């Protein structure tokens, strides 16, 4: 069973949040708290991340099954990046469990970029030699702005370990960048919410999206990149809340 961080709220349809690669439920604390004003919010640590169990697989079928185990009634689901793909597979495999779906800056397609750079940077940190997070940040080397600070949220300084199953995430990277063949479609309301400065969701993806999610709607947060919820949390929260309500 996945580790979760629960934010109690009024007794309405709960919201389940699935984070992206190298993330955790804790990354969503501020947004989850704001959204819990009108609904219970459950933020999950995905498998091989945070406080959740480690497995040899990190496939979207398995991630969707993990999320389904958390649900004892239909819920709304919000997923970002890897979590967005897992949320899409969840809705396609278990449509009766999902009421509304928000997919944050990802499409149900195969991507050609890689996330091995940050992963190898974490692997390269000599955890026995660092004294504090500043040492760890320096050891991560030259990463894109904000990436090092984001990765360090998954560093357990007390036990000198990453709360990420780096070896499995490396071997499963092709699956994480891909998207499985899933039969059927999800007929519920879906919002594809993207960053205006991100190229993850393109016009060319819309036919594929519409085939799987006929009621898909599209919105963008101006100026935000792929980490739209971290870059523009107020706009992200307001847009998500308006859709869920």
């Amino acid at each position: 069973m996945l580790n979760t961080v629960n934010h109690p709220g009024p007794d309405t349809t709960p919201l389940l949040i699935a984070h992206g690669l190298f993330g955790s439920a804790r990354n969503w604390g501020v947004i989850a708290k704001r959204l819990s004003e009108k609904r219970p919010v459950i933020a999950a640590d995905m498998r091989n991340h945070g406080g959740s169990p480690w497995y040899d697989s990190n496939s979207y079928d398995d991630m969707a099954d993990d999320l389904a185990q958390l649900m004892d009634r239909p819920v709304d689901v919000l997923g970002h990046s890897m979590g967005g793909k897992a949320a899409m597979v969840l809705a396609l495999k278990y449509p009766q469990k999902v009421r509304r779906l928000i997919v944050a800056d990802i499409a149900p397609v195969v991507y050609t970029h890689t996330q091995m750079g940050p992963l190898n940077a974490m692997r390269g940190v000599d955890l026995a030699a660092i004294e504090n997070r500043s040492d760890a940040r320096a050891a991560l080397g030259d990463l894109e702005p904000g990436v090092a600070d984001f990765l360090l949220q998954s560093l357990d300084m007390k036990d000198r370990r990453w709360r990420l199953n780096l070896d499995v995430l490396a071997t499963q990277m092709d699956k994480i960048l891909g998207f499985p063949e899933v039969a059927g479609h999800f007929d519920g309301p879906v919002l594809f919410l993207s960053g205006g400065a991100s190229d993850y969701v393109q016009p060319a993806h819309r036919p594929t999206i519409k085939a799987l999610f006929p009621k898909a709607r599209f919105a963008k947060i101006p100026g935000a990149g792929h980490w739209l919820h971290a870059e523009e949390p107020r706009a992200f929260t307001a847009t998500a809340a308006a859709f869920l309500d």
Side-chain angles (χ1 to χ4, degrees), residues 2-27:
L2 297 181
N3 180 60
T4 60
V5 178
N6 300 316
H7 300 263
D11 188 19
T12 59
T13 302
L15 173 66
L16 175 61
I17 298 178
H19 64 75
L21 182 63
F22 307 141
S24 71
R26 294 193 305 172
N27 299 153

Side-chain angles (χ1 to χ4, degrees), residues 85-234:
K85 285 187 170 182
M88 285 188 275
V89 176
L90 171 70
L92 293 167
K93 289 184 68 175
Y94 305 100
Q96 74 281 4
K97 287 181 174 283
V98 179
R99 190 186 73 124
R100 289 176 175 264
L101 175 62
I102 300 175
V103 181
D105 211 65
I106 203 72
V109 300
V110 177
Y111 289 87
T112 57
H113 65 264
T114 180
Q115 295 293 339
M116 290 302 296
L119 192 150
N120 286 329
M122 286 184 282
R123 280 172 150 178
V125 176
D126 183 355
L127 295 174
I130 60 173
E131 296 294 332
N132 50 48
R133 291 185 181 273
S134 295
D135 291 345
R137 195 184 193 288
L140 284 169
D142 187 20
L143 296 171
E144 292 182 24
V147 172
D149 291 331
F150 168 68
L151 298 178
L152 288 173
Q153 294 182 49
S154 291
L155 176 60
D156 184 340
M157 281 297 301
K158 181 180 178 181
D159 292 334
R160 300 295 179 98
R161 60 183 288 270
W162 293 101
R163 289 187 287 265
L164 300 163
N165 191 346
L166 297 177
D167 291 341
V168 166
L169 294 177
T171 61
Q172 298 282 292
M173 190 61 69
D174 286 348
K175 290 182 179 178
I176 294 169
L177 297 176
F179 193 79
E181 290 190 16
V182 184
H185 47 80
F186 175 71
D187 291 326
V190 184
L191 175 64
F192 281 79
L193 181 56
S194 304
S198 171
D199 61 358
Y200 272 68
V201 182
Q202 302 178 9
H205 298 153
R206 292 202 176 191
T208 300
I209 291 171
K210 281 290 192 178
L212 296 172
F213 305 99
K215 293 183 180 178
R217 296 160 53 189
F218 300 86
K220 290 188 176 183
I221 296 180
H226 182 58
W227 303 96
L228 64 174
H229 60 291
E231 296 171 27
E232 297 289 345
R234 291 189 179 276

Side-chain angles (χ1 to χ4, degrees), residues 53-70:
W54 286 14
Y55 299 98
D56 291 337
S57 164
N58 212 75
S59 74
Y60 287 113
D61 276 326
D62 288 334
M63 283 189 271
D65 291 346
D66 291 341
L67 294 173
Q69 290 180 16
L70 300 176

